[in-house]
């Protein structure tokens, strides 16, 4: 197992749709193990393959939930069905999100309160569950990565302007930028 550098907003792999996984083999299982190790070192609750520069439809998560779903898991080639997303402004105290690929920043974002997730585990066995609340938010956030979207791409106009200013101020938005969990300072101060 190995910790991989986390790509930062502007890296092309983060901004394009990831490819379907075609082989459930030892190489895939090794990648998944590396993703768990990287997520854990980064103190994250989820990590998608594009975030470590791999353009495949895989994400891992580590999040306690009230939905009877194991608190750690992997989704390969997932699909998501969501409930309707409220058109109300997000609550900055209760609905702020962060992302390892937008390190150290957090912005409020409305998400669906319920999702149905289907996909496969690392061995190609079917996985299906429902998620609610923050666990549903995590599933949507990681799934977005597989479609080339970052949470900052979904912000309302006001929050989107703030995020664009922060990206510019940090010098992000260009290829080649990463940070290494466990070596570089934790951008979220964990």
């Amino acid at each position: 197992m190995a910790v991989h550098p986390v790509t930062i907003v502007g890296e092309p792999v983060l901004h394009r749709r990831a490819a379907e996984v075609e082989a459930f083999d030892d190489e895939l299982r090794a990648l998944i193990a590396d993703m768990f190790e990287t997520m854990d070192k980064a103190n994250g609750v989820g990590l998608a393959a594009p975030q470590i520069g791999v353009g495949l439809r895989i994400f891992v998560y580590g999040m306690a939930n009230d939905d009877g779903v194991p608190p750690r898991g992997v989704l390969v080639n997932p699909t998501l069905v969501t409930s309707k997303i409220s058109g109300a402004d997000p609550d900055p105290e209760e609905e702020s999100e962060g992302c390892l690929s937008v390190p150290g920043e957090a912005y409020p974002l409305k998400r669906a309160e319920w999702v149905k997730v289907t996909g496969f585990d690392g061995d190609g066995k079917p996985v299906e569950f429902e998620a609610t609340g923050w666990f549903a938010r995590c599933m949507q956030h990681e799934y977005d990565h597989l479609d080339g979207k970052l949470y900052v791409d979904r912000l309302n106009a006001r929050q989107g302007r703030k995020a664009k200013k922060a990206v510019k101020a940090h010098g992000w938005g260009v290829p080649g930028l990463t940070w290494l969990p466990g070596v570089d300072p934790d951008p979220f101060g964990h």
Side-chain angles (χ1 to χ4, degrees):
M1 293 190 304
V3 173
H4 292 255
V6 175
T7 58
I8 294 176
V9 58
E11 185 63 31
V13 71
L14 290 173
H15 305 285
R16 66 176 172 252
R17 189 177 196 281
E20 298 282 327
V21 170
E22 295 181 3
F24 291 82
D25 55 14
D26 288 342
E27 189 176 326
L28 175 67
R29 286 182 284 280
L31 172 62
I32 291 167
D34 287 355
M35 289 174 65
F36 274 115
E37 188 164 343
T38 302
M39 177 185 72
D40 292 344
K41 271 286 190 216
N43 296 303
V45 296
L47 183 75
Q51 292 184 274
I52 59 168
V54 178
L56 291 173
R57 297 186 73 76
I58 310 164
F59 70 79
V60 297
Y61 66 87
M63 184 177 207
N65 61 80
D66 296 323
D67 300 308
V69 179
R72 286 175 70 83
V74 60
L75 274 299
V76 180
N77 296 339
T79 59
L80 239 64
V81 176
T82 68
S83 61
K84 188 175 180 188
I85 300 171
S86 164
D89 283 338
D91 182 324
E93 299 297 318
E94 300 293 323
E95 297 176 304
S96 265
E97 259 180 61
C99 179
L100 298 175
S101 291
V102 188
E105 299 295 329
Y107 300 95
L109 175 65
K110 276 288 184 200
R111 293 275 193 186
E113 287 292 317
W114 172 92
V115 298
K116 180 179 181 181
V117 182
T118 57
F120 301 91
D121 69 11
D123 296 317
K125 294 181 184 135
V127 174
E128 182 176 320
F129 60 84
E130 295 180 9
T132 59
W134 273 94
F135 189 45
R137 178 179 292 273
C138 176
M139 296 298 104
Q140 293 166 83
H141 181 111
E142 298 310 326
Y143 183 82
D144 275 353
H145 279 299
L146 306 183
D147 283 342
K149 290 190 185 320
L150 298 175
Y151 86 105
V152 292
D153 299 327
R154 293 193 176 275
L155 299 174
N156 66 25
R158 182 170 170 256
Q159 296 301 326
R161 284 190 298 276
K162 287 182 179 180
K164 284 180 182 163
K165 284 181 185 176
V167 166
K168 186 175 181 181
H170 287 294
W172 300 335
V174 298
L177 301 177
T178 63
W179 68 279
L180 187 59
V183 174
D184 293 325
D186 183 325
F188 292 98
H190 295 109

